[in-house]
Structure formats: C-alpha cells, structure tokens
Amino acid sequence: MVQRMFGTNGVRGVVNEDMNTDLALQMGKAIGKFFNGTVAIATDTRVSGDMIKAAVSAGLMATGCTVRDLGVVPTPAIQYHVKTDDDVVGGVMITASHNPPKFNGIKCIDGDGTEMPREKEEQIEVLYASEIPCQSWNDIGSMETYGNAGEDYIDAVLRHVDVAAIRKAGLTAVLDCANGAACRTTPLLLKKLGVRAVTLNADMQGEFPGHPSEPTAENLRDLLYLTKAVNADIGIAHDGDADRAVFATNDGSFVPGDKSLALMAKSTVLANGGGLIVTPVSSSSMVEEVVNKAGGKLIYTAVGSPIVARRMMAEGSKFGGEENGGLIFAEHQYCRDGAMTIAKMIESIVKFGPLLKQIQELPVYYTDKRKIECPNNRKADLIEYMKGKFSPGNKVDLTDGMKILFSDGGWVLLRPSGTEPIFRIYSESKNKDLAEQRCGEFESAAKAFMEDSE
Ligand code: MG
C-alpha cells in the first residue's frame, strides 16, 4: 500500500524536518504529472513559503507544467483563480493554515477550484511513491507571474453583497489578519465596502502570526479589547491562509464559529425562502434549530470541508460550513471563503441589526469536549463496544464515528481522529450539567474498555 501523505488539509509538517525540499520537489513532480498543464501556485506569509514554493515549482516544470505564481494570496483567492481561468488546470497552495509558524504544507486545488477529493489525492500519492519521468530539456515548463489574483477575488466577492447599502451604513471594523495571507485583500474589501477599518497584525513582513495562530478567543485578546475600545460594529480575525473568518461583537465578546455558522445559514434560508444547509455531524444542534425555524432543512455529513462542499454541490445547497469559521457560499465558490464570510456578515448587520443582538437571539446549547487515546487498530472495536452500550433506546448516527441522539435533544459524538491515535468526544445539551455528565460517562466507559482489553 502507498503511504498516505495528504491529511484533512493537505500535506503538512515541520519545515526542514518532514516538510523539506526533497519532499516538496517530488510532490511537485507528482502534482505536475497529475495535472499536466498550467498550474497556479501561491503561499501564505510563512518564512518557509518561498523555499517550499520554489521546490514544488521546480518539480512542476520538470514534468512539463507551466507554473503561474500568484504570490501571497488567501487560499480562496487561488481557488477562485483556478476556477475562473480556463487556461489553469489546477492549483497548489503552500500553507499550514492555523498551525504554528514552524509548520508548512502543500494543498492541491482541483481544476474547478475546489479542494481535491480524496480519490485524486490518492492518485498523486501513487505517483509520489514512483519514479516520475521528467521531460526532455526542450519540453520542460516555464514560470509566469500574475499579481492581480487577490484583487480579482475581492471584486468577485463584492458582486454578492449590496455594496451601496453597506457603504451607506458607515460601519467600523477592527480587523486582525494574523500577519497572514489576507493582509492586502481584506483591508481592500473593507475599503471598497466603505467600512472604516482599524487593523491589527496586518503586516506581511511582520512576524507570523502576531499571536498564537489558531483564531480562538484566548489568542485574539487584542482584537477583543480593541473592538470594545473603539466600539466597532464588528471585530474580524482570519486564520493564516484566510479561508476562515471569526468575529467579535461591539462589547468585545468572541463569537464562537457555530454562532456565525447559524447566522449565515439563517440569512441564506430567509433570502431563498427555504433550502438545504450542509454541515458536519459535529456542529451544534443550535444550527439545526435555527435553520428549521427559518423554514430550511439541515443535512449532516462527515467532518471535513471538502466533504461538506461536495455534498452541497450534489444537493444543490446554497450554503454550508464548519463550526470553526470555515463557511462556504455556493453563489461564489464551493470552498471555505474568509472574505465572502466577512462581506456577508457585514451585510447581515446592515439588514438585521447589531451583531450582538443577532447573537443574543440564538438558542443556547451547552457543549463539552474531551479526548481519549486509542490506537488506530482498536478504533473499530471501541466504536462497536460503545454502540452496544449506549444505543439501546436511543437513535444512532454513524455518519462519522458514532453519534448517539437522546430523546431530550442532547447528543454525544464519539469520533476517531483521522491522523492521531485518539477519539474525540463531543457532548451537547440544552442543560449544561447533562452535557458534562454525558461526556464524562462516555469518557469513563471508553477508558474502561481500553483498559480491560489491553
Ligand atoms: Mg485555513
């Protein structure tokens, strides 16, 4: 069997350890052999971006591909470029998203601009493990540059919101770009929307990411403080490659990703008079409650944004997304889209009133999350055991791991990590104590099983 290289978000590793130039060169050749045409390439702002890009590009050219270098742009901007330029048959984004700065990664983009489906990644893995023939000296590829992909992307986003109404509202935003890929594009978006922007960590030459890199409340303290201090209408933060955006309200509170997901789902359903919304089984039932009330219907998938995007395409769904701030708007493109999320969220403030008020109107659910260790070869047995123990009398959903749905509306999801020897336990209920108690019960039962079977 060929070694698996691609995780849920591309090939990732620590630079000059597992993510080195040998790997990047061979990966470039494999991707070049797979695409065999003009391939767009871009990076986020990591110091290793140029090195990995150069090695991947050399591999692409050795196999005869033309490399189109877009420079530093958000992941959804290269995706938009690949989707809209007929000469481009695929793309490569050099990024490790929200991972710490010592990491970097290689992510492939399919010819239609979507994240590559697993079957195609497997084909690239097979090529990677083989001896890849290179072109003769006079048939190798060349390199061209295109510097307008970020602007093209922002102009496209603007076509999907009511720019005149937003400009008239005269809003203020505080924006934290994590010194990442959105440093040029999101300030431009806000300027074109007539939103007065106070920026933080918006320096491409600055140290990436300017704060610990995952966009959580804890890591975004400066943003929350400043949003409150200037009483901005919205606080905005990106992860490193800006496929995600998260928000803060004017009083400086962090908006968890499931709440922005629910608000955007609701406005999509209202704007379309119904429709299907797609999200993974790990998302809060709060989203489902909001979607049902607005007259829509929710479809659950396994975890992973490419899975959500492909299900949206199959079902003709207009909106879907994950609870980590990765939202997908079909009217623009089938991928997580940071700038589009921001434009739509700002438009919703203009249409429906202050963000804080919209958040306060959402139903309240409580969650508890834990993780337990479990070797990969024991994962199936653990699921079987837990199913036998907890399924009697309750509904079971096996879309991803095992989700037990209790009759009171609460649920517990036991999900194996695709990359690590662990299970994640998610518990949710409208009753805080019950959410914690059930999470604890699942954790103890799983631990006991693991110990007994050792
Ligand atoms: Mg990302």
Side-chain angles (χ1 to χ4, degrees):
M1 216 177 89
V2 175
Q3 196 202 338
R4 181 168 180 158
M5 305 284 296
F6 290 91
T8 10
N9 280 297
V11 185
R12 284 203 193 157
V14 174
V15 172
N16 276 353
E17 288 179 23
D18 30 359
M19 177 53 66
N20 56 44
T21 51
D22 291 349
L23 179 149
L25 177 65
Q26 178 71 2
M27 204 31 103
K29 286 184 192 173
I31 296 167
K33 203 77 197 161
F34 177 85
F35 279 129
N36 194 24
T38 298
V39 176
I41 195 164
T43 70
D44 64 16
T45 53
R46 290 162 195 273
V47 284
S48 57
D50 283 345
M51 181 185 87
I52 302 294
K53 180 172 77 179
V56 172
S57 300
L60 288 167
M61 287 184 280
T63 51
C65 291
T66 300
V67 177
R68 185 177 295 174
D69 185 359
L70 308 183
V72 174
V73 292
T75 298
I78 181 177
Q79 290 182 277
Y80 182 75
H81 185 81
V82 172
K83 177 187 140 184
T84 51
D85 191 315
D86 292 341
D87 295 337
V88 179
V89 296
V92 182
M93 181 70 190
I94 310 298
T95 180
S97 185
H98 62 275
N99 287 142
K102 67 178 179 182
F103 286 84
N104 213 335
I106 300 169
K107 183 170 170 156
C108 291
I109 295 154
D110 211 354
D112 61 0
T114 60
E115 292 179 80
M116 192 159 266
R118 181 68 200 136
E119 314 87 76
K120 291 187 180 177
E121 286 180 348
E122 277 167 8
Q123 292 174 36
I124 293 172
E125 285 165 354
V126 169
L127 287 163
Y128 179 89
S130 69
E131 185 87 29
I132 300 171
C134 293
Q135 295 291 337
S136 69
W137 68 270
N138 52 352
D139 281 326
I140 60 170
S142 58
M143 194 157 202
E144 57 191 39
T145 55
Y146 180 71
N148 224 40
E151 288 76 1
D152 295 345
Y153 162 64
I154 294 304
D155 285 342
V157 166
L158 290 167
R159 292 201 283 272
H160 299 287
V161 289
D162 187 343
V163 177
I166 295 171
R167 291 190 70 92
K168 219 171 115 194
L171 303 179
T172 300
V174 179
L175 168 68
D176 186 336
C177 293
N179 291 336
C183 283
R184 261 203 298 266
T185 48
T186 300
L188 177 68
L189 171 72
L190 296 177
K191 188 177 160 198
K192 291 196 170 186
L193 288 173
V195 174
R196 178 178 165 253
V198 179
T199 52
L200 264 172
N201 300 315
D203 176 9
M204 280 197 186
Q205 272 73 48
E207 193 181 332
F208 173 83
H211 53 70
S213 42
E214 175 70 16
T216 59
E218 166 95 324
N219 295 340
L220 296 173
R221 276 185 298 227
D222 292 347
L223 172 77
L224 301 182
Y225 174 82
L226 206 54
T227 304
K228 185 178 178 185
V230 304
N231 192 27
D233 297 286
I234 189 168
I236 304 165
H238 282 296
D239 65 332
D241 65 326
D243 55 349
R244 294 193 274 145
V246 296
F247 302 99
T249 51
N250 63 305
D251 65 343
S253 350
F254 181 73
V255 178
D258 54 358
K259 296 198 172 168
S260 41
L261 173 65
L263 290 185
M264 293 290 95
K266 180 180 163 187
S267 53
T268 308
V269 171
L270 290 177
N272 292 286
L276 300 171
I277 302 295
V278 182
T279 197
V281 283
S282 53
S283 290
S284 171
S285 300
M286 185 261 295
V287 181
E288 185 172 4
E289 188 179 329
V290 167
V291 165
N292 287 345
K293 211 169 153 192
K297 190 171 173 295
L298 199 73
I299 297 176
Y300 288 107
T301 66
V303 174
S305 59
I307 300 171
V308 173
R310 281 176 203 285
R311 188 69 186 272
M312 286 173 65
M313 290 164 127
E315 303 279 356
S317 157
K318 296 206 159 47
F319 176 79
E322 306 171 308
E323 56 175 338
N324 60 8
L327 307 186
I328 304 170
F329 299 84
E331 63 189 285
H332 186 217
Q333 50 182 352
Y334 287 98
C335 65
R336 288 182 295 199
D337 200 330
M340 190 69 187
T341 303
I342 293 167
K344 287 285 187 183
M345 194 58 100
I346 288 172
E347 186 181 50
S348 98
I349 293 175
V350 174
K351 268 166 120 175
F352 303 113
L355 183 55
L356 181 61
K357 178 181 137 270
Q358 293 189 52
I359 296 291
Q360 285 166 341
E361 286 167 2
L362 292 171
V364 178
Y365 283 77
Y366 297 94
T367 52
D368 193 359
K369 291 181 190 177
R370 304 185 195 189
K371 60 180 176 188
I372 53 159
E373 285 174 25
C374 176
N376 289 334
N377 62 3
R378 303 285 295 133
K379 282 178 175 171
D381 292 344
L382 179 62
I383 289 272
E384 260 324 290
Y385 169 75
M386 295 292 277
K387 201 166 93 185
K389 191 169 167 65
F390 290 98
S391 65
N394 298 308
K395 261 202 252 171
V396 187
D397 178 344
L398 299 173
T399 305
D400 193 346
M402 181 192 68
K403 189 175 184 180
I404 299 279
L405 300 117
F406 297 97
S407 54
D408 57 22
W411 53 264
V412 180
L413 171 68
L414 185 68
R415 199 177 86 81
S417 159
T419 46
E420 295 169 86
I422 57 167
F423 265 96
R424 293 182 199 284
I425 305 173
Y426 309 71
S427 172
E428 185 182 84
S429 170
K430 285 201 166 185
N431 178 322
K432 191 167 189 281
D433 294 338
L434 199 55
E436 285 169 14
Q437 180 204 321
R438 283 176 177 158
C439 207
E441 280 171 25
F442 271 66
E443 183 184 32
S444 320
K447 275 186 177 161
F449 174 76
M450 293 308 298
E451 279 161 21
D452 286 351
S453 59
E454 259 168 20

